[in-house]
Amino acid sequence: DQQVKQNSPSLSVQEGRISILNCDYTNSMFDYFLWYKKYPAEGPTFLISISSIKDKNEDGRFTVFLNKSAKHLSLHIVPSQPGDSAVYFCAAIGDGAGSYQLTFGKGTKLSVIP
Amino acid sequence: EPEVTQTPSHQVTQMGQEVILRCVPISNHLYFYWYRQILGQKVEFLVSFYNNEISEKSEIFDDQFSVERPDGSNFTLKIRSTKLEDSAMYFCASSLTRGKEGYTFGSGTRLTVV
């Protein structure tokens, strides 16, 4: 059961360039999407979110894009910095039945090379 | 910045033993959660807790598991008779509102069942 999929387990990007992390979902009832960042030996940290009624949300260097028809979202980090190196999790909320549990993808490990 | 604190950071237990994982959520938060991540797999929802009762649980959260908020500050997860497949990183989280703004996660307890 993979309702949220992150098909790239890892991504390497040069410092200063754009990092694009992708996420696909299958459950059309999801109404809110979140990105979390995780460093080793720490818990996930909330990064940015987007409601299903929007197609873009921006916060500083981070932008999340949502394409509902394709059931696809992406996180853009511009410019990428070495401190951005972490595992990034895509998560979704909402099943139409009042559930607020987060459904996570498996994560993408981002390495930003100085 | 307020934190969710989890203890211990690592617990090793023998199969069949009971374990209690402890969490101190952020003091003004009202919703509490447990998630787990088996090595190499995605973060999975276990249970949410509000107003001194379980508000939502997953199929993973069977009769072997229980949660408690014994004293108004701690939030515990008990596994009655541990199995090898319970070995995972267990994350506690809390939130002020019901989920969509993003939870604050603790650093996790790594449970190893031998």
Side-chain angles (χ1 to χ4, degrees):
Chain A
D1 171 0
Q2 280 205 69
Q3 296 189 68
V4 177
K5 301 180 202 177
Q6 293 177 258
N7 291 320
S8 299
S10 62
L11 175 68
S12 287
V13 171
Q14 287 287 130
E15 180 179 4
R17 307 294 290 267
I18 184 171
S19 296
I20 300 176
L21 297 107
N22 293 302
C23 178
D24 298 292
Y25 62 95
T26 57
N27 188 343
S28 57
M29 300 303 292
F30 288 142
D31 62 0
Y32 210 75
F33 302 91
L34 307 94
W35 284 94
Y36 281 83
K37 174 180 177 178
K38 186 181 178 305
Y39 293 116
E42 293 185 14
T45 302
F46 171 71
L47 200 55
I48 192 169
S49 62
I50 188 167
S51 164
S52 61
I53 61 173
K54 298 191 173 182
D55 55 19
K56 178 181 173 181
N57 188 27
E58 195 171 348
D59 183 2
R61 296 186 297 115
F62 303 92
T63 303
V64 56
F65 295 93
L66 175 62
N67 182 334
K68 272 190 76 173
S69 60
K71 294 193 178 71
H72 177 84
L73 62 155
S74 60
L75 174 68
H76 293 211
I77 306 173
V78 184
S80 303
Q81 299 172 354
D84 296 329
S85 297
V87 177
Y88 288 78
F89 292 100
C90 172
I93 277 183
D95 63 355
S99 171
Y100 278 77
Q101 62 177 270
L102 289 169
T103 301
F104 282 89
K106 282 192 171 183
T108 296
K109 184 176 182 180
L110 174 65
S111 300
V112 180
I113 303 158
Chain B
E1 190 171 324
E3 287 184 343
V4 174
T5 306
Q6 289 187 246
T7 55
S9 56
H10 190 188
Q11 172 111 32
V12 180
T13 189
Q14 289 210 315
M15 191 168 55
Q17 295 295 304
E18 174 184 288
V19 293
I20 298 176
L21 309 182
R22 302 180 192 279
C23 170
V24 179
I26 293 174
S27 60
N28 65 334
H29 281 188
L30 302 174
Y31 297 84
F32 314 108
Y33 316 86
W34 284 100
Y35 283 76
R36 78 172 186 189
Q37 185 180 25
I38 294 171
L39 189 63
Q41 299 188 24
K42 60 182 182 176
V43 177
E44 301 173 291
F45 170 77
L46 292 178
V47 66
S48 61
F49 193 84
Y50 170 72
N51 201 24
N52 279 322
E53 60 183 28
I54 290 173
S55 49
E56 195 175 354
K57 62 181 181 179
S58 71
E59 60 231 20
I60 302 168
F61 194 87
D62 61 22
D63 293 344
Q64 292 282 77
F65 292 89
S66 62
V67 289
E68 197 177 31
R69 188 155 160 81
D71 56 12
S73 62
N74 290 285
F75 179 51
T76 61
L77 174 69
K78 183 193 290 187
I79 310 175
R80 257 178 275 283
S81 177
T82 49
K83 303 186 281 263
L84 294 176
E85 53 265 37
D86 294 327
S87 295
M89 189 71 128
Y90 288 80
F91 294 105
C92 173
S94 68
S95 64
L96 181 58
T97 58
R98 202 176 170 207
K100 288 189 176 180
E101 297 306 310
Y103 311 158
T104 302
F105 281 86
S107 297
T109 293
R110 178 166 298 286
L111 176 66
T112 303
V113 182
V114 297

